[in-house]
Amino acid sequence: MTDILLKLLEVSIWSGIAALGFGILFNIPKTTIITVFALGFLAGIIKFTLIHFGVSIILATFLGVLLVGCLGIPIAHRIHHPPVVFCIPPCIPMIPGYFAYETILAIMNFLILEEDASKKAALIIDMVSNGFTMVFILISIAIGISLPLILLRKSTVKKV
Amino acid sequence: MDASKELINETNLLLDIASLLMVSGANTNRVNLSIKRFADSIGYNASFFISQKSLIMTLYKEDSAVSCTRVKNIPGLALNFTIISAISKASWKALANNWDYNQISEEITRIKQVKRYPQILVTIAVSLAGAGFCNIFKGDYLNMLVAFVSTFIGLLVVQWSHRRNYNVYLRIFIGSLIASSLAAIGVKLNIGEKPATALATSVLYLVPGVPLINSFTDFLDNNIINGLVRFTTGSMMVLAIALGLFISMLIFNLI
């Protein structure tokens, strides 16, 4: 049990670091550094805990990103920065890089190497399942981050 | 004569702000909001057309024939969230205190001078992010080291080609090719438990997250054309990354 918890904590801390790394590449304001790390960490812990309990990676990613988006608005009021500034970097570690890699690998094998028809069929399955997982994760990131920003904007925009 | 000159200056200032926001990676709605606030504070209405390459803006008053229309070209993307945040704050202050042209222009000059993070810090942070990615995809610490090194060198090459003003897609292609080649050497030498994770994550520092997320928010805000432009730019970048990965995998015979 402690083993699993430690593993979850470790991977979440690394997602926080990844979020922060990209934040620094995008030149985020110095005062948002802690927020970006915390949001990346939170999104990571939600995603990996859900995956651990058998939720599909697509839904887990969506919920993690949705949390970032929903927390973004109240935090924006507290630290006085627009939400996009610290909501985009924590989503970057959610990008399905490994699925993209597997998809490319399957496509290359299919096009260049394989002659055997039954192996080609197996490669098509690889291609489609990895490719669609990748696409749906990307869609869930996009919806998860922009939905709260758009839904909550009208009601909570600061009054002058 | 004097009044019209003032109006031209004000239009140019607002165009400058809008272009600064677009360059820094703000979505179209944020540019709209900020410009409306600044225009309100100097007492004009602003109507404008925003595209990825140029801005057209007219400043006018409801009950007079005085107006000014100007066009401005937008330079290439250079993400900078500090500028977005600072301009957003300035727009609130301007609206609350009814700033005039001089105050706004002073604030914008000040914002433009805000320093970026030092390049070495950026390089190390992004390389750490690459290592973090590797951990997320279940790589062990040796894999993470490979991912760190290949991201580090890839990013140095990208920065170098940026200084040489190479085409942006060529830049991304070169970065992807070099980073994935380095990680592919790691796969060949069989470093760590799952060397493939290092290869998959070595190119992720190039991922165009901001254009793609902005394109989606633009779509939802009904800024379809800007959204399409950003989406196409983002997809081209993804293609360039994939091509680099493809070629290095072919070279190292990893398929």
Side-chain angles (χ1 to χ4, degrees):
Chain A
M1 187 62 203
T2 357
D3 230 29
I4 295 165
L5 266 180
L6 273 180
K7 190 74 199 151
L8 277 177
L9 214 60
E10 185 196 355
V11 81
S12 309
I13 286 175
W14 278 108
S15 11
I17 292 176
L20 188 56
F22 275 91
I24 287 176
L25 180 66
F26 304 153
N27 203 32
I28 50 170
K30 287 197 177 65
T31 41
T32 58
I33 284 180
I34 298 168
T35 320
V36 166
F37 178 80
L39 282 178
F41 175 78
L42 268 181
I45 218 162
I46 289 204
K47 178 183 162 190
F48 293 110
T49 313
L50 286 176
I51 290 177
H52 177 73
F53 286 115
V55 179
S56 91
I57 186 167
I58 298 170
L59 189 61
T61 307
F62 177 70
L63 291 175
V65 175
L66 195 66
L67 178 91
V68 171
C70 290
L71 284 180
I73 309 273
I75 293 178
H77 288 219
R78 180 145 309 176
I79 63 175
H80 306 295
H81 289 285
V84 279
V85 168
F86 53 86
C87 282
I88 292 183
C91 299
I92 307 282
M94 301 284 177
I95 282 171
Y98 201 71
F99 290 100
Y101 168 77
E102 292 275 336
T103 313
I104 291 185
L105 197 66
I107 292 175
M108 286 179 72
N109 271 326
F110 182 83
L111 288 179
I112 299 169
L113 282 184
E114 210 56 68
E115 300 290 336
D116 186 6
S118 67
K119 280 185 184 160
K120 274 200 158 188
L123 282 175
I124 290 183
I125 294 177
D126 269 6
M127 224 187 285
V128 173
S129 65
N130 285 316
F132 272 95
T133 316
M134 177 188 78
V135 168
F136 275 89
I137 291 179
L138 284 178
I139 292 175
S140 64
I141 292 176
I143 296 180
I145 192 61
S146 40
L147 212 58
L149 290 184
I150 280 173
L151 284 181
L152 300 177
R153 182 162 60 207
K154 295 290 176 283
S155 57
T156 57
V157 127
K158 281 201 246 176
K159 294 284 182 302
V160 186
Chain B
M1 183 62 199
D2 206 25
S4 76
K5 219 172 207 160
E6 206 172 275
L7 183 56
I8 291 176
N9 278 341
E10 281 164 351
T11 315
N12 281 340
L13 176 66
L14 288 191
L15 278 173
D16 205 25
I17 296 171
S19 130
L20 205 56
L21 280 172
M22 288 300 279
V23 168
S24 308
N27 58 18
T28 311
N29 189 59
R30 178 149 298 280
V31 183
N32 280 341
L33 281 177
S34 299
I35 294 303
K36 284 237 170 70
R37 286 179 203 146
F38 280 119
D40 269 2
S41 91
I42 54 175
Y44 280 95
N45 290 336
S47 293
F48 42 91
F49 170 75
I50 303 172
S51 81
Q52 218 63 12
K53 277 283 185 193
S54 52
L55 293 155
I56 304 171
M57 186 184 291
T58 302
L59 273 196
Y60 62 98
K61 271 185 175 153
E62 206 64 75
D63 48 1
S64 89
V66 181
S67 77
C68 173
T69 302
R70 291 268 143 154
V71 184
K72 184 181 169 68
N73 289 342
I74 305 177
L77 201 65
L79 294 176
N80 193 335
F81 282 9
T82 304
I83 285 187
I84 299 181
S85 179
I87 289 183
S88 164
K89 267 191 236 175
S91 73
W92 284 113
K93 275 192 242 163
L95 197 55
N97 306 326
N98 270 326
W99 282 4
D100 59 12
Y101 168 79
N102 289 327
Q103 280 168 303
I104 297 176
S105 134
E106 263 169 38
E107 183 71 12
I108 296 302
T109 340
R110 197 187 61 75
I111 289 172
K112 273 187 190 165
Q113 282 161 355
V114 169
K115 288 262 188 307
R116 298 188 80 95
Y117 291 104
Q119 195 171 11
I120 185 72
L121 177 70
V122 173
T123 319
I124 291 176
V126 174
S127 312
L128 274 177
F133 265 122
C134 193
N135 191 296
I136 292 168
F137 298 129
K138 302 189 178 68
D140 64 5
Y141 278 86
L142 276 173
N143 297 144
M144 285 164 69
L145 185 67
V146 175
F148 182 91
V149 171
S150 40
T151 306
F152 191 85
I153 293 175
L155 192 58
L156 283 183
V157 172
V158 170
Q159 284 161 348
W160 170 82
S161 59
H162 184 78
R163 282 195 294 276
R164 301 288 297 268
N165 278 328
Y166 283 131
N167 172 291
V168 56
Y169 303 111
L170 185 65
R171 232 146 66 195
I172 291 177
F173 169 72
I174 295 172
S176 154
L177 182 66
I178 288 186
S180 57
S181 301
L182 286 169
I185 294 175
V187 177
K188 278 287 170 199
L189 298 176
N190 212 3
I191 300 173
E193 203 176 314
K194 286 175 76 183
T197 54
L199 180 56
T201 52
S202 60
V203 295
L204 285 186
Y205 68 102
L206 295 162
V207 161
V210 175
L212 288 179
I213 292 176
N214 273 340
S215 96
F216 201 76
T217 34
D218 274 0
F219 282 142
L220 290 182
D221 280 326
N222 257 339
N223 294 312
I224 304 290
I225 293 190
N226 273 338
L228 275 179
V229 173
R230 289 186 215 256
F231 183 77
T232 316
T233 324
S235 314
M236 293 273 289
M237 291 178 180
V238 171
L239 259 178
I241 298 173
L243 195 63
L245 186 60
F246 223 89
I247 288 180
S248 72
M249 278 161 77
L250 270 182
I251 292 174
F252 285 89
N253 201 14
L254 287 177
I255 38 178

